[in-house]
Amino acid sequence: MIKVGIIGGSGYTGGELIRLLLNHSQVEIDFVFSTTRAGKPVTSAHQDLLGQTNLLFSGEVNPKVDAVFLCLGHGNSTKFLDENTFAEHTKIVDLSNDFRLQASSNWNGKTFVYGLPELNKSKIENTDAIANPGCFATAIQLGLLPLAQAGLLKGEIHTNAITGSTGAGVGLSATSHFSWRNNNVSWYKPFTHQHLGEIGESLKSFGNPTGKQYFLPTRGNFTRGILATSYTRFDGDLEAAKSLFASFYADAAFTHVSEEPIHLKQVVNTNQCHIHLHQHEDVLLVTSTIDNLLKGASGQAVQNMNLMFGWDQREGLQLKAGVF
Ligand SMILES: NC(=O)c1ccc[n+]([C@@H]2O[C@H](COP(=O)([O-])OP(=O)(O)OC[C@H]3O[C@@H](n4cnc5c(N)ncnc54)[C@H](OP(=O)(O)O)[C@@H]3O)[C@@H](O)[C@H]2O)c1
């Protein structure tokens, strides 16, 4: 058993990590650090864990843990690592965007590997620091990577994606207030969302020319999940596109192409990404769907930990969607 620590324990991704790791056969949670709840039961913030753990939130870290997960808002991971030293052997998985871009991937002698297993599996297996991808970025990239590798993203790429309210974290804001969000839909950050940077770097990593991407994020009035649709000019036929995706994801543990049109609920509460392809005249429409808190955050973080420690990537992640 390895010992792990979680920083940012009372937040949404922290809560999902605790839930997953309590059921992981190789892991013991050593501490759950909280700036606001030290000494209180973990169940005071995560009532869903009542009866499953007696852990208390901690105001201190154990610097000798084997792995630490940083579940902090952007900028706070760098600050936390600057202020807290971990042992040489401690592997780090950061869920913020502090280290995702190549220009910001080096910190204090460590190089963070972009933790998208479908793209970087062997690099992940050989690193001790992971920059876990963003949730929109995960859904959108998984829908586009096979086309990027084949050099088929030369034209403009138009992406719409709708997300649940947990994507914004546990803190209350005007747009996550029930009275505003319920029975409501709205877009935000049109064409400027911060995940465009990491998406662009991954798509360009194959060395092929890539068309400009236009991304319109939408807030949905549900709590979990992302459904992303991307379309682009495509001269080939649908069967060719399907075989491209099938071959790209042949060894993927959690990313699967569906013959049937897909919907959000088939992946919520799982670490799966489901993809569907549809052709209309000279346009290819790719739909991809994930749970923002699992494949988009804590599930992918556990998948990355599994790869770093040489375990089966599915360990602790055999989850079934609720669907109905
Ligand atoms: N939510 C998603 O779907 C999602 C998906 C992908 C990536 N992410 C990224 O994952 C990170 C965490 O997201 P989240 O949704 O879990 O956020 P969150 O619900 O807001 O939780 C973050 C937690 O960090 C702690 N915290 C706040 N300020 C801090 C500080 N200055 N120093 C140390 N700890 C501090 C707080 O916990 P304590 O009070 O217990 O200290 C807070 O609850 C973010 O960078 C986010 O962008 C989120």
Side-chain angles (χ1 to χ4, degrees):
M1 299 284 272
I2 64 158
K3 288 182 187 294
V4 307
I6 296 169
I7 316 294
S10 67
Y12 282 157
T13 60
E16 284 298 88
L17 263 172
I18 299 167
R19 177 171 79 93
L20 293 171
L21 296 177
L22 284 173
N23 293 293
H24 194 293
S25 68
Q26 307 293 323
V27 169
E28 181 191 330
I29 301 176
D30 187 77
F31 68 86
V32 181
F33 178 85
S34 171
T35 54
T36 54
R37 289 176 186 262
K40 293 187 179 154
V42 159
T43 52
S44 67
H46 305 298
Q47 291 89 356
D48 55 313
L49 299 176
L50 189 64
Q52 295 187 49
T53 180
N54 294 322
L55 272 170
L56 304 180
F57 285 112
S58 168
E60 290 174 9
V61 304
N62 170 4
K64 294 185 178 154
V65 284
D66 300 292
V68 64
F69 293 89
L70 305 176
C71 301
L72 304 176
H74 306 314
N76 287 332
S77 293
T78 313
K79 190 163 173 280
F80 190 86
L81 289 176
D82 285 341
E83 291 169 358
N84 294 273
T85 306
F86 288 91
E88 197 61 31
H89 71 266
T90 304
K91 298 184 197 295
I92 301 172
V93 181
D94 177 46
L95 279 77
S96 81
N97 70 3
D98 285 9
F99 308 108
R100 287 181 199 155
L101 298 179
Q102 277 158 33
S104 59
S105 62
N106 290 309
W107 173 86
N108 207 14
K110 273 189 193 302
T111 301
F112 282 71
V113 167
Y114 188 66
L116 189 64
E118 290 79 353
L119 180 67
N120 286 334
K121 184 162 172 276
S122 60
K123 286 187 188 160
I124 294 166
E125 285 166 339
N126 292 295
T127 189
D128 57 2
I130 290 289
N132 217 54
C135 47
F136 272 135
T138 297
I140 294 166
Q141 285 173 83
L142 292 175
L144 295 175
L145 286 175
L147 299 170
Q149 187 189 46
L152 295 173
L153 283 181
K154 284 181 242 156
E156 288 177 354
I157 309 153
H158 294 267
T159 298
N160 283 274
I162 185 164
T163 182
S165 54
T166 54
V170 71
L172 190 58
S173 68
T175 55
S176 62
H177 188 300
F178 177 85
S179 304
W180 191 92
R181 189 89 174 213
N182 192 40
N183 296 328
N184 207 357
V185 176
S186 60
W187 56 245
Y188 65 109
K189 299 182 183 172
F191 315 116
T192 59
H193 193 276
Q194 64 274 15
H195 289 181
L196 280 164
E198 58 189 284
I199 296 168
E201 285 195 354
S202 295
L203 296 184
K204 289 187 177 76
S205 67
F206 302 102
N208 293 323
T210 305
K212 193 165 176 195
Q213 186 166 20
Y214 297 89
F215 170 33
L216 190 59
T218 300
R219 302 181 187 96
N221 73 338
F222 48 90
T223 55
R224 290 174 79 123
I226 289 175
L227 185 96
T229 52
S230 297
Y231 60 89
T232 190
R233 285 283 302 273
F234 183 69
D235 297 328
D237 67 45
L238 186 58
E239 290 312 311
K242 284 180 184 171
S243 68
L244 197 66
F245 276 69
S247 131
F248 192 93
Y249 291 121
D251 298 328
F254 295 104
T255 299
H256 305 290
V257 181
S258 167
E259 278 294 322
E260 303 299 323
I262 55 176
H263 57 90
L264 191 69
K265 275 177 147 183
Q266 70 189 64
V267 297
V268 169
N269 193 41
T270 76
N271 198 47
Q272 303 280 331
C273 173
H274 289 178
I275 294 173
H276 179 258
L277 300 169
H278 174 85
Q279 188 175 25
H280 174 73
E281 297 173 353
D282 61 349
V283 169
L284 183 70
L285 170 68
V286 186
T287 306
S288 50
T289 189
I290 62 167
D291 184 321
N292 57 295
L293 287 172
L294 291 174
K295 186 60 175 163
S298 307
Q300 188 144 257
V302 171
Q303 188 182 356
N304 282 320
M305 174 192 71
N306 289 340
L307 287 168
M308 283 197 287
F309 282 93
W311 304 323
D312 184 334
Q313 346 179 20
R314 297 172 182 82
E315 179 52 48
L317 294 170
Q318 307 271 26
L319 302 164
K320 161 81 175 68
V323 190
F324 308 118

